[in-house]
Amino acid sequence: MTTYLWNPPPPLSLPVRGKSERFPINRLFFVGRNYHAHAVEMGKPVDKSAERPFYFTKSPQTLLESSATTAYPPETKNFHYEMELVVAIGKAGFRVSADRAHEIIYGYAAGLDMTRRDLQLVARDKGRPWDLGKDVEESSVCAEIVPMAGVVIERGEIALQVNGQTKQQSNIDKLIWNIREIIADLSLFYHLQPGDLIYTGTPEGVGPVVPGDAITGHVQGVGEISLRIGAAS
């Protein structure tokens, strides 16, 4: 029997709509700049004919369930929301072709990629890793997983409000790299596993929040998400 110096943390998981069992979390992948209008607002337009998708990862320990309150994080003055459609992987897959990508999808969720934007942009402009800007405690917010095995979502409104005012509003059909293309490309680099989550990118309209703000969002046909920003930690 293995013994530890202290008790290890419990496994990370998310609720699953219609089931008592929870979805165990493995890894968190994020697709960068995957809507044209957002790429433009970030000053980095994307030419799909000449580029491939790019990714960053965040620690699974940054996962936070929807409807929570998170503290405004330290060492930032520009904490941003990013509304995203999340793909939940349910089967192992490596070098998966785009036409078979649906075979490893378990379902979907609404998600938020909360970002210390000022730190991210400093790192980006100096050619440094984005970790301090992106790998923020309680910054990978996710709603319940909606089982949709084998379904590839190709369209549907994605929107976010802050204090009831719409800030982001777009459609999944505006993804630069669609879900099939993302799974096919990402699985060239990683052996995708059950429990992996892929945040597929955010549309234009990202912006800052402050303590006391309430974020709500939805992905049509998938679900809703909410987050409240608490006092600075």
Side-chain angles (χ1 to χ4, degrees):
M1 180 178 178
T2 303
T3 58
Y4 300 94
L5 292 173
W6 51 81
N7 291 330
L12 296 165
S13 64
L14 288 168
V16 179
R17 183 180 296 175
K19 293 184 178 292
S20 58
E21 300 91 346
R22 291 176 65 90
F23 184 89
I25 300 302
N26 189 34
R27 294 171 293 186
L28 307 181
F29 296 102
F30 294 75
V31 185
R33 292 197 294 269
N34 201 21
Y35 287 80
H36 280 296
H38 173 61
V40 170
E41 76 177 351
M42 295 301 292
K44 297 287 184 178
V46 173
D47 179 0
K48 185 177 181 179
S49 67
E51 301 179 46
R52 297 178 65 168
F54 81 92
Y55 313 95
F56 57 92
T57 61
K58 295 170 74 168
S59 305
Q61 288 75 18
T62 64
L63 188 70
L64 181 67
E65 284 190 36
S66 177
S67 303
T69 296
T70 186
Y72 193 92
E75 300 301 319
T76 183
K77 295 180 180 178
N78 198 18
F79 191 42
H80 275 212
Y81 53 80
E82 296 188 13
M83 182 70 201
E84 311 210 6
L85 170 66
V86 180
V87 180
I89 300 300
K91 294 181 180 179
F94 180 58
R95 295 174 178 164
V96 180
S97 63
D99 63 352
R100 300 190 67 178
H102 61 280
E103 296 179 1
I104 69 169
I105 294 173
Y106 176 81
Y108 296 88
L112 294 170
D113 170 22
M114 303 299 294
T115 302
R116 285 188 280 220
R117 186 73 72 205
D118 43 1
L119 302 190
Q120 180 205 8
L121 294 182
V122 167
R124 185 194 73 179
D125 293 345
K126 292 186 177 182
R128 295 175 178 173
W130 290 6
D131 295 46
L132 292 179
K134 285 291 189 180
D135 197 28
V136 181
E137 293 169 341
E138 298 188 341
S139 67
S140 304
V141 189
C142 198
E144 65 179 359
I145 304 295
V146 181
M148 298 174 67
V151 174
V152 177
I153 293 179
E154 297 179 337
R155 61 186 59 83
E157 183 182 65
I158 179 170
L160 176 142
Q161 300 80 35
V162 178
N163 302 325
Q165 182 178 358
T166 297
K167 299 292 188 178
Q168 292 184 280
Q169 189 169 26
S170 188
N171 197 289
I172 301 303
D173 64 10
K174 290 183 170 59
L175 285 169
I176 298 173
W177 287 278
N178 64 36
I179 290 167
R180 288 188 180 277
E181 292 169 325
I182 291 167
I183 290 174
D185 188 74
L186 186 60
S187 70
L188 296 174
F189 299 94
Y190 295 93
H191 293 75
L192 297 179
Q193 298 294 323
D196 288 342
L197 298 182
I198 305 173
Y199 286 65
T200 58
T202 194
E204 71 276 14
V206 299
V209 286
V210 297
D213 281 348
I215 299 171
T216 55
H218 71 270
V219 178
Q220 183 180 356
V222 174
E224 300 179 347
I225 193 167
S226 65
L227 179 70
R228 183 169 293 275
I229 308 300
S233 57

